[in-house]
Amino acid sequence: MTTLPLFPLNTVLFPDGFLPLQVFEVRYLDMIKGCIADGQPFGVVPLLAGDEVRKPGVRETLGQAGTLARIVEWSAPHTGLLHVRCIGGTRFRLRSSMQLRHGLWMAEVEALAPDQALPVPPEQRNVADALGKFIHSLQVQGIPAGEMPMAAPFRLADCGWVANRWCELLPLGVEEKLRLLCQESPVLRLELIADVLLENGMLD
């Protein structure tokens, strides 16, 4: 078991995912500054109810799984604002959580096993190819690396990496993304993503 601070968001962070944040609430400014000083990650969990910005009388309901976020870059353009860039790490399940008086959530979490490094199956090769075309189109447009929706290296031959990037890109509901995050098999996760892409006419 590990105890760590949480940052609930209206999205799901996947392993190796790129997460830019603008931090301005006091509860998260203090948390992020502590993580930077100690070189420690924090947990990103999906919000199933409530708002990202704390409001009086509005209760937050957290998803029961999330992902460690490691800060790779930060800046403070002015007092009371931090720009932070993070990369997703290990997935975890919440075993218990509590909200402190000033609003910060703390949780005891248990790490989930990382995806096995498996090649993309031949029948899902078109899923990886479609992602590669999308990345290439962004590069052709001259999108800077720091503004890309995913971070290099682009592991287009890795089953879990391809599935996770599509999970982030597709306009799926938060609960559906959470189910995909918790899916133990990267092959099955990729198959589920392939079904979504086919249903939406996004595969050749």
Side-chain angles (χ1 to χ4, degrees):
M1 291 283 192
T2 301
T3 300
L4 75 161
L6 300 179
F7 202 132
L9 293 171
N10 292 321
T11 188
V12 176
L13 176 65
F14 285 79
D16 299 311
F18 175 60
L19 179 67
L21 293 171
Q22 290 193 80
V23 184
F24 53 87
E25 283 192 82
V26 172
R27 57 176 172 166
Y28 297 133
L29 285 170
D30 292 343
M31 179 196 82
I32 294 294
K33 289 175 183 176
C35 290
I36 292 170
D38 299 335
Q40 295 298 313
F42 58 93
V44 172
V45 294
L47 264 176
L48 303 183
D51 293 293
E52 291 182 349
V53 178
R54 193 181 187 195
K55 296 178 181 177
V58 177
R59 183 172 178 80
E60 298 163 4
T61 302
L62 310 182
Q64 292 303 297
T67 305
L68 292 182
R70 177 173 55 88
I71 298 169
V72 294
E73 186 180 334
W74 65 276
S75 63
H78 57 74
T79 302
L81 178 65
L82 285 175
H83 289 171
V84 181
R85 295 178 183 273
C86 308
I87 295 293
T90 304
R91 300 174 298 162
F92 60 78
R93 288 195 184 277
L94 269 66
R95 292 307 180 194
S96 65
S97 60
M98 64 175 292
Q99 193 170 25
L100 305 182
R101 181 174 298 180
H102 68 301
L104 182 68
W105 285 92
M106 298 293 296
E108 281 195 344
V109 306
E110 183 177 15
L112 295 174
D115 285 341
Q116 288 183 283
L118 298 173
V120 173
E123 54 269 29
Q124 271 82 48
R125 188 66 248 174
N126 56 346
V127 179
D129 291 343
L131 182 60
K133 289 177 183 177
F134 174 70
I135 293 171
H136 180 68
S137 72
L138 297 179
Q139 293 171 330
V140 168
Q141 294 172 47
I143 305 296
E147 296 177 17
M148 294 276 281
M150 70 279 293
F154 305 129
R155 303 202 306 273
L156 293 168
D158 183 90
C159 189
W161 191 91
V162 171
N164 290 345
R165 300 297 72 78
W166 276 122
C167 288
E168 295 162 349
L169 290 168
L170 289 171
L172 304 170
V174 169
E175 292 191 27
E176 179 61 23
K177 290 193 177 192
L178 181 58
R179 283 192 288 271
L180 289 163
L181 178 74
C182 295
Q183 173 54 245
E184 292 183 5
S185 167
V187 174
L188 182 53
R189 194 182 312 130
L190 187 63
E191 290 175 357
L192 293 169
I193 286 297
D195 290 342
V196 175
L197 292 170
L198 282 169
E199 289 169 5
N200 288 274
M202 298 174 68
L203 289 180
D204 297 332

